[in-house]
Amino acid sequence: MIDKLEFFIALAREGHFGRAAEDCGISQPSLSAAIRQLEDQLGVILVVRGSRFQGLTPEGQRVLEWARRIVGDARTMREEMRAAKTGLSGHIRLAAIPTALAMIHRLTEPFQAKHPEVTFSVVSRNSLQVLSQLDNFEIDAGITYLDNEPLGRVTSVPLYAERYTLVTAEGTPYAEREQITWKELDGLRLCLLTSDMQNRRIINQHLANANVTVHPTLESNSMVVLLSHVGTGQWASIMPRNVARSFGFAKQIKMIPIVEPEASHIVGLVATHREPFTPLVSALLHQARSLAAQAAL
């Protein structure tokens, strides 16, 4: 039953029998047979079928909620028994918004110092993808904004407050200013994150509140790409101060705090809300709380 539920979760996530089968490491006929067996066991139709996958039935949507809960509990049980036998070990999958990537080492380095048998993988995702991948068990935890858009049913730990600066090259207009207002950004040639990023939606809102409309001439989902273009002197950008400082461009660029208002948004660790947590996630949340205690939010 657990295997079939995992196959069903993969199908709902991928929306395609072939891709779901490949993700599960089985053949497509085997996956299709397992889903039909699950339907027979439960006595309901889970999948709307045609020439291809067409979605889940209402019963399928409800079973998906149960499947995530049951599979999550089973994984927690297995990890807890392994930790009881051999100590904390395993692999933690993290997804983080681009503006948080530069600070992840503040979480992973002390964690691995305490638990050297634990490894990490870290991927960059937008805020909606972080939450979606949590729901689908593709990651164990995420780092995203906590106070700007709905998070759903998650456990969260605030890590730091993101504050915004104009980032521009030396010798350009405003480079020697001590601060600048959102209103004064009108007319600047900007490079910004893509519109699917919550950071961009936050910046757009603050600019709109100041009656400023921007049309960036370059967009990217990579902070490195933005900073490298700022370094040419032909673009400026708006980004969190901690990001601009972390990539080693400090000698070539200037960071001018943006005020009126001096906006800030909380970034933190999120994990699917459940009791008990897996030992790995529980230890990661504990480490995040220790880090948060050191931060002045």
Side-chain angles (χ1 to χ4, degrees), residues 94-101 103-104 125-132 134 139 141-152 154-160 162 197-199 201-202 265-271:
L94 279 177
I97 54 174
T99 60
L101 292 172
M103 63 71 56
I104 291 180
R125 297 288 185 266
N126 66 40
S127 57
L128 296 177
Q129 290 170 331
V130 169
L131 298 178
S132 174
L134 272 180
I139 57 174
I143 297 177
T144 187
Y145 295 100
L146 302 185
D147 61 354
N148 188 60
E149 294 179 356
L151 292 174
V154 299
T155 295
S156 62
V157 179
L159 295 175
Y160 63 91
E162 190 177 82
M197 298 293 173
Q198 192 172 168
N199 172 268
R201 296 194 291 275
I202 288 171
H265 293 272
I266 302 300
V267 175
L269 184 76
V270 293

Side-chain angles (χ1 to χ4, degrees), residues 173-224:
Y174 302 125
E176 301 305 320
R177 291 276 295 271
E178 292 188 1
Q179 62 183 32
I180 189 171
T181 67
W182 291 94
K183 183 67 175 177
E184 290 175 295
L185 300 178
D186 197 10
L188 281 182
R189 188 184 188 196
L190 293 174
C191 56
L192 298 172
L193 284 174
T194 50
S195 58
D196 61 321
M197 298 293 173
Q198 192 172 168
N199 172 268
R200 175 65 182 280
R201 296 194 291 275
I202 288 171
I203 288 171
N204 284 352
Q205 186 59 55
H206 288 301
L207 290 169
N209 291 343
N211 294 318
V212 173
T213 301
V214 297
H215 300 285
T217 59
L218 185 141
E219 298 177 318
S220 176
N221 61 2
S222 166
M223 303 304 294
V224 173

